[in-house]
Structure formats: structure tokens, C-alpha cells
Amino acid sequence: MMEKVIDEMRLPIGINEQSAEPLYFQIEVQLRALIISGTLQAGTLLPSIRELASQLKCSVITIKRVYSDLETEGLLRTKQGTGTYVSHVEEQSREEHRHGVVIEAIDHLLEAAKRVQCSRQELEQLIQEKLKEYDD
Amino acid sequence: MEEPAIVFNNVALTRDHFTLGSLNLSIPKGYVTAIVGPNGSGKSTLFQMIMNVTKPQQGNIQVLNQELNHHNDDELKQKIGYLQEDATSFDQYIKGYEKARFQGKWYRKWNNDTYQRMLSMLGTRDDLALKKMSKGTRRKFDLALAMSHHPELLLLDEPSSGLDPIAWKTMIEVLHQYMENEQHTILIATHIIDEVKRLADYIVFLVDGQVLGTYEKDELLQSWVTYFIEASSSIDITQLPGYSEHKLVSSGFYEVISSKAFEAERWLEEMQVNIRSKQLLELDEILLQQVKKVRQFAK
């Protein structure tokens, strides 16, 4: 089947349907990362609520929640009648946000390590190995 | 709760072999609500009641903030677009454009440009007698008619019946565009799972004349799960939060369905039950679980 040419912006957000994490949460984490990393620059107009909901095949209720949460965090702002835009993120809070994302992932890592009773030494070794890949 | 577009208060209707209600139901404005249920559950009757064609024996119905009566019948219908389940046959010998001309006289907000745009967007035509149109052409033509007077409320009864997959995709796009206006509301009855997934914000289960509940779609689809678990016989699996049914797969291995994924998982963890795998239920499977429950109870 031929796909219609899409002229509107498509956000690189993926959904894992089998994940235990609520949909709004999955979308929120990814959209936040896109803003904080600077992939979406200040002033960028986001798709309308209905548009993003249809792209991600979820309900507008979910997207409303995501936009409103990120607005509360100061990452988005809504102009009445024109749409939702990416806010200007301060350099300092960008750093905080960036580190926050990584720290959260490290917490997950530590939990996982604990679950399989990985010793401190083992963990250090594994991380060292992975870091080599990261530098490449 | 959001501002409602349609409210059913205590509505009931009994016919020879069928009872609908009593229903208490609110359809929120600005959203797409899908009514899902087995054949003969009363979906089309519900639409006819909103259109004031079938009258309930009990209760009242409010549409766009007005209670239905014979004074506001015309005023309300000017604001509603209705695609009924079966195409009309009384007018089958007239041409499509003749029917459109008639509708154009009747609807004060009829817009011929919108109508022409709809025809071309949906890929249909109006230069044929209605009788000569293929099922899909007629369906698309009827949808174009239903939307050309800029209704605030769109009632769609099995809109995609007879549409091929390409026409279906176009219809979904057209409906998404319609919903870009936040004052617009769609109530849709459908059997097509993918249609619910792509369109709906809320889901209403209507089974054997009873409303089982209104759910936020995303929440609903994430809350029903089948777990494949390893459990000793000392655990009473029916105590699982949201328990719906289970079966023994082999000695010590069970398949169990819960409607409360989050609580269920915590419970299983507490009981030190090993979850081998899990699988979200599809909408049709959720419906089946609901139907079973209702019919078991009815016995």
C-alpha cells in the first residue's frame, strides 16, 4: 500500500506496548529527552495533541497529560490558539536534566545488579568493559 | 469529568426480545468515544435515540446541552452528522448530487465547497444514481454528506463497512482532521479493533443492552494482562487482584488473566510467584472477558 507523503513533523518516539510503564510515562520520558538534548530546539512548534495522538496511536487524553506535565516542568509552553512550543531551556537546568536522566538509568542498573547478586568487583569490571565501547 | 456532548439519564427501552438499559452514560465533548459490543447489544438503537427517531420508554437524553423534545428537533439535527448503519433505499433512484442538493437546502450550514472537498478527499463521486454506486462508493458518499454541514457532533454507526483498506485509511485521516477542532465530538460504533485503536479516546462497552463501563482507551489496553506463572498449589490464584479467569497449563504452571495489571504484579511479587511471561490482551479479548462475566452473572 502506498503511504501518503507526510508533511507534518514526526517525533522520533517509540512505544513499547508490552511494557509495564504507562503510555504517558513512556512518551513523556522520550519527549523530555528530545528537548533536553537539544534535538528539539527552543521555539519548535510541536504537533497538535490530536496529531501526535494519531501518530502514536494513543488517545488525546494521554498526550494532554504529557504536554501538561512538561509544561509544568517548564519545558513546553502553550500559546492559546497557535499550539505548543518548546521552551528555552537554561544551560544549567539542561545539565541538571541531562544528568538526571543518566542517574536514573544508573539506579536501574544498580537494582538489576542487586537482583542477580552481582558483586561490586564484577559490576566495576562490566562497566569498564562497556565504557570501552562507549568511547569508540 | 469533561463537559458532556450526550447524556443518557436512566434511559430504558423494552421490545419483544430485547431490553436496553436502564442506561446512565455520558459522552464527553471534544473526544472520540467508541461503543464496542457484540451484535444485538443495542448500539444502533442508542444512535436512533440520540437522533430522536426512537423514543425511550423511560428516562431522558440530553444532546449538546439540550434535552431532546419535539421543539428542538430541527435545531439539534442541524448540529449533528449521522451516518447510519445501513444506507437508505427509499431514494435509491436519484443521483448522488440530487441528494446532496436536497441536504444542502435543509441544512443551514451546508457548505458546498466542503462537500466537494470531502468527495475528492474520500475518493468518491456523486454523478451516479445511489443504486448504481458500489457499497464502498456509497459509504464514502454518505460520509461526505454527513460532514458537509460542519456538524459539532458526528454519529458513526459502523462507518467502515464496505471500505477497502486504502479508503479505510483515508477515512481515519478525515476523522482525525475533523477532530482537530476541539469543540467536535465523535460517537462511533464499530467492530473493527484497529479502528478503535486508531481513533478512540474513550471506550464504552455495551453488552446485551447494558453499559458495562466507560474507560480511557490507553489505560484499559494496558490494564488487562495474561500472566504465565509458576505457582505452588498452596496459593489461591483467584485472589489475584483483578482476577478474571485461569487455567492450568501443566502441573504447577498456570495461565491467569487480570484486569488490574499493576496491582496484580505487586501481589504476585509479594506471594513470591514466578512470572514466566506476560501478554497484554487485545481489545476483542477484553470484550470477550467482559461478555463472559455478564452472561455468567445473567444465568
Side-chain angles (χ1 to χ4, degrees), chain B residues 27-62:
Chain B
I27 307 297
K29 190 176 179 174
Y31 293 91
V32 180
T33 302
I35 303 187
V36 177
N39 294 324
S41 285
K43 293 180 296 232
S44 296
T45 309
L46 211 69
F47 282 117
Q48 285 160 15
M49 290 200 292
I50 299 167
M51 288 305 285
N52 207 14
V53 179
T54 298
K55 301 205 190 304
Q57 288 151 339
Q58 178 199 305
N60 66 72
I61 302 165
Q62 281 168 34

Side-chain angles (χ1 to χ4, degrees), chain B residues 260-278:
Chain B
K260 293 182 179 165
F262 189 71
E263 285 101 323
E265 250 154 79
R266 283 219 306 233
W267 188 85
L268 290 168
E269 206 169 293
E270 263 171 44
M271 297 307 230
Q272 294 182 328
V273 171
N274 188 5
I275 303 174
R276 284 305 187 91
S277 72
K278 62 172 191 174

